[in-house]
Amino acid sequence: VTTSRTAVTTGGGRGLVLEVNSNVTQCVEVLAKKGAPRFNRLVRLLTSALQENKHNNHKGQQSKKMIVFCLHKSQARQIAKDLNKSDIGQDPQNNIVVLEGDMSQSARVTAIKAFRSNDTPTHKLLVATDVAARGLDVMGVSHVINYSLGISMENYVHRCGRTGRGGGDDGGGSSSAQRNFGVAHTFVVAGVDEKLSPELCAVLRRTNQYISDDLRIMAGKELKRRRRVATSTTTNGSYPSTGVVDEEDEDAQEVLEHRRLNREKQLRIQRQRTNTTNGSTTKKSKGRRGGGGGRK
């Protein structure tokens, strides 16, 4: 099985080309708001994933661990607290573990040990910051949910690499080769995560993942903003062209043009319906006036 990431230098040594393991299905969802809508969406995703894992366990597969990545330590603690209050936390079959930077070393070791364990309760859910993105080698992680996108694409790739891992034993006595596919679901919040959207699109492209129209448009707008900043400064190559990123701009333009044509089409249809309705109303009105004159 391939490693969780591939990093090679391209473009004259300008940077790394990051790639998520092809065993991982990446799902990126653009949200309009933070707060309650995002948390409610998280609960629905986790509930669905728990049901999927229960089904897999009945088939003898040992995929019963999930990780929720948060941006800040306070966010991780709050999400874990809210999940414990939800139906997920109230289920005795689920165990929610927190791992963040303010914890002592002994507390971290205890949290990781609890997450690795295959003892009861059956399903383990780790809520963590990027402290768990690197070096946490736990088999049997079926889902990674990026509650926050993060501060870099390298962290994003490391996060996704916690699932879809192969080789070795998952601690339950079965080879992880039985289940070496995973899902990484990421929330991208409008007005917050635009800066990384072009690079995110590029990472998704490298393993032929689905890119939504909303994400394409967001990436295109960010590229325009970068070009405006680059042309207004005296430095050269603040955001050098990579070819791959430029493709996101072309896709965004295509999506916007398609939406513009659809809006024009809908407006034409509405005008036709309005004209038809007005014409029908006029005929009925004339008919009533003519009928009234005949009765007189």
Side-chain angles (χ1 to χ4, degrees):
V1 179
T2 59
T3 57
S4 62
R5 66 185 287 268
T6 301
V8 296
T9 303
T10 61
R14 282 176 176 168
L16 295 175
V17 175
L18 300 170
E19 183 176 323
V20 175
N21 190 338
S22 59
N23 290 341
V24 179
T25 299
Q26 300 169 70
C27 305
V28 178
E29 183 175 353
V30 177
L31 302 178
K33 295 180 180 180
K34 298 188 292 183
R38 179 167 55 163
F39 180 76
N40 292 338
R41 179 62 179 143
L42 172 66
V43 171
R44 290 196 296 271
L45 281 175
L46 290 175
T47 301
S48 176
L50 285 168
Q51 291 297 325
E52 179 184 342
N53 285 350
K54 288 178 181 178
H55 177 70
N56 289 333
N57 289 340
H58 287 318
K59 296 192 298 183
Q61 298 174 350
Q62 298 295 322
S63 55
K64 53 188 179 182
K65 297 180 175 68
M66 293 176 285
I67 303 177
V68 176
F69 279 106
C70 300
L71 183 59
H72 303 296
K73 294 172 283 189
S74 59
Q75 186 183 65
R77 291 192 293 266
Q78 187 62 48
I79 292 301
K81 180 180 178 181
D82 293 341
L83 285 174
N84 273 311
K85 294 179 180 178
S86 70
D87 291 341
I88 293 174
Q90 297 302 309
D91 188 338
Q93 291 296 311
N94 302 328
N95 183 29
I96 300 173
V97 181
V98 184
L99 183 62
E100 43 89 1
D102 278 349
M103 297 170 62
S104 65
Q105 185 61 29
S106 60
R108 292 189 196 185
V109 171
T110 300
I112 293 173
K113 184 178 180 180
F115 184 60
R116 286 181 185 273
S117 172
N118 285 317
D119 298 334
T120 55
T122 305
H123 302 284
K124 305 296 174 65
L125 173 60
L126 178 67
V127 182
T129 58
D130 283 324
V131 69
R134 303 176 188 231
L136 182 63
D137 191 7
V138 178
M139 299 300 172
V141 175
S142 62
H143 294 74
V144 164
I145 299 179
N146 294 310
Y147 191 76
S148 295
L149 177 57
I151 60 174
S152 72
M153 276 296 96
E154 190 168 2
N155 283 356
Y156 169 82
V157 170
H158 279 291
R159 288 176 174 188
C160 295
R162 297 312 95 198
T163 185
R165 304 177 71 81
D169 192 282
D170 67 358
S174 62
S175 172
S176 62
Q178 293 179 337
R179 170 77 179 189
N180 56 4
F181 295 94
V183 176
H185 198 110
T186 302
F187 294 149
V188 173
V189 180
V192 176
D193 297 317
E194 281 87 348
K195 288 186 178 181
L196 289 176
S197 57
E199 287 71 28
L200 178 57
C201 286
V203 170
L204 294 172
R205 280 185 180 280
R206 291 189 185 106
T207 49
N208 299 316
Q209 303 290 323
Y210 171 75
I211 305 175
S212 69
D213 288 350
D214 288 337
L215 184 59
R216 293 179 194 272
I217 292 172
M218 180 184 290
K221 290 180 178 179
E222 171 60 17
L223 289 173
K224 286 184 177 180
R225 186 195 68 81
R226 291 182 184 183
R227 280 194 288 270
R228 286 196 299 269
V229 172
T231 55
S232 64
T233 60
T234 57
T235 57
N236 293 323
S238 297
Y239 293 97
S241 173
T242 63
V244 177
V245 173
D246 289 340
E247 190 173 355
E248 310 307 334
D249 192 16
E250 293 175 3
D251 281 352
Q253 295 301 322
E254 183 179 342
V255 170
L256 288 171
E257 178 64 15
H258 181 68
R259 289 188 174 182
R260 184 186 66 80
L261 293 173
N262 277 341
R263 284 196 297 270
E264 290 181 355
K265 182 179 178 181
Q266 292 298 322
L267 287 172
R268 285 198 302 271
I269 293 174
Q270 288 178 359
R271 283 196 294 267
Q272 290 173 358
R273 288 177 177 173
T274 300
N275 292 337
T276 301
T277 302
N278 290 341
S280 176
T281 303
T282 301
K283 289 181 180 179
K284 289 180 179 179
S285 177
K286 289 181 178 179
R288 284 195 296 269
R289 288 198 296 271
R295 284 192 295 271
K296 289 180 178 178

